[in-house]
Amino acid sequence: QVQLQESGSGLVRPSQTLSLTCAVSGGSISGGGFSWNWIRQSPGKGLEWIGYVYDSGRTHYNPSLKSRVTISEDRAKNQFSLKLNSVTAADTAVYYCARVSITLVWGVITHRDAFDIWGRGTMVTVSS
Amino acid sequence: SYELTQPPSVSVSPGQTVSISCSGDRLEDQFVYWYQQKPGQSPLLVIRQNNERPSGIPERISGSKSGNTATLTISGTQAMDEADYYCQAWDRSTAVFGGGTKLIVL
């Protein structure tokens, strides 16, 4: 079955760029029918959706983070990535990658389903 | 921005039934999803599209929706059900999570 595994730097300096990768195994991100998402959870807090990539690199981001976020896919490596720039202590969190089934009609998402597969998460601390 | 509202915590005695609510202004027109998260673990999907249980989720966990309020119900609650529960909906292209409810099994 499909599995997701996050990796990347666990410590990022303030004002720098957070970079994470999610490796997908047991399935291909090129197959279509899915969006590939990033979600984070600050210590002791709830879940915050960051954004997703789908359909050969198209993206959509949380409006609250849009100015600082880039999500991209690498089909050759079967993985997708998150970059969050100008980080502060408020970006300290466990970062999860997750899959969502989507329905595309003429390139437009007409239906989004649940976050059905999640990675185990990776803790990122922003500190000098 | 759109918000989903959940109670911070609910408590239940083993064997009893407990319900967790999730309310949102546009929930009537949206599918609701529920996730269970235990300490140190990733969230686990327990209800999709308001009331469907994914494979492997016990029948004692159920979901419903009426108007702008969705409800997760656990019947015959067991100690293993103690966890944080999050509701989620798609508001246009954006995923929105509720603040989460801690279920305490007394």
Side-chain angles (χ1 to χ4, degrees):
Chain A
Q1 71 278 25
V2 175
Q3 293 184 316
L4 307 180
Q5 178 64 61
E6 304 90 346
S7 63
S9 176
L11 178 64
V12 183
R13 306 299 184 192
S15 80
Q16 299 301 303
T17 297
L18 177 160
S19 295
L20 297 175
T21 295
C22 180
V24 180
S25 59
S28 172
I29 66 170
S30 306
F34 300 104
S35 69
W36 304 95
N37 294 255
W38 288 98
I39 296 156
R40 69 181 182 179
Q41 186 171 34
S42 300
K45 302 295 184 181
L47 301 167
E48 180 181 28
W49 174 75
I50 299 170
Y52 58 70
V53 63
Y54 72 104
D55 194 27
S56 301
R58 301 173 72 175
T59 55
H60 186 72
Y61 303 131
N62 187 323
S64 68
L65 297 169
K66 184 176 182 178
S67 63
R68 299 194 292 131
V69 172
T70 302
I71 298 175
S72 60
E73 60 179 31
D74 185 334
R75 294 191 163 199
K77 294 183 178 180
N78 208 36
Q79 62 187 32
F80 60 105
S81 299
L82 168 70
K83 291 189 183 299
L84 180 66
N85 59 37
S86 304
V87 298
T88 70
D91 296 309
T92 293
V94 175
Y95 285 76
Y96 297 98
C97 54
R99 187 187 80 169
V100 169
S101 296
I102 60 172
T103 301
L104 274 174
V105 177
W106 294 106
V108 177
I109 299 178
T110 58
H111 177 66
R112 300 166 185 81
D113 208 333
F115 296 97
D116 62 345
I117 298 176
W118 296 66
R120 298 181 67 174
T122 188
M123 180 69 201
V124 178
T125 301
V126 178
S127 175
S128 55
Chain B
S1 62
Y2 186 54
E3 293 183 354
L4 298 178
T5 301
Q6 299 180 236
S9 66
V10 297
S11 58
V12 63
S13 299
Q16 299 303 302
T17 296
V18 64
S19 294
I20 298 172
S21 63
C22 171
S23 61
D25 289 346
R26 297 190 280 276
L27 216 51
E28 183 174 23
D29 300 320
Q30 300 166 337
F31 282 126
V32 177
Y33 305 90
W34 290 93
Y35 304 87
Q36 175 194 72
Q37 186 179 33
K38 297 181 179 180
Q41 296 184 15
S42 307
L44 172 70
L45 176 68
V46 295
I47 293 290
R48 60 183 291 271
Q49 296 191 3
N50 302 333
N51 54 22
E52 298 181 7
R53 266 187 313 275
S55 174
I57 302 302
E59 291 185 8
R60 66 176 184 277
I61 296 178
S62 63
S64 62
K65 192 179 72 171
S66 178
N68 287 328
T69 299
T71 303
L72 179 73
T73 300
I74 304 177
S75 306
T77 307
Q78 301 180 8
M80 65 184 297
D81 298 323
E82 186 163 282
D84 294 327
Y85 290 84
Y86 294 90
C87 62
Q88 178 254 317
W90 289 98
D91 185 48
R92 301 178 182 90
S93 303
T94 298
V96 179
F97 288 94
T101 298
K102 178 177 291 295
L103 174 63
I104 301 167
V105 181
L106 300 170

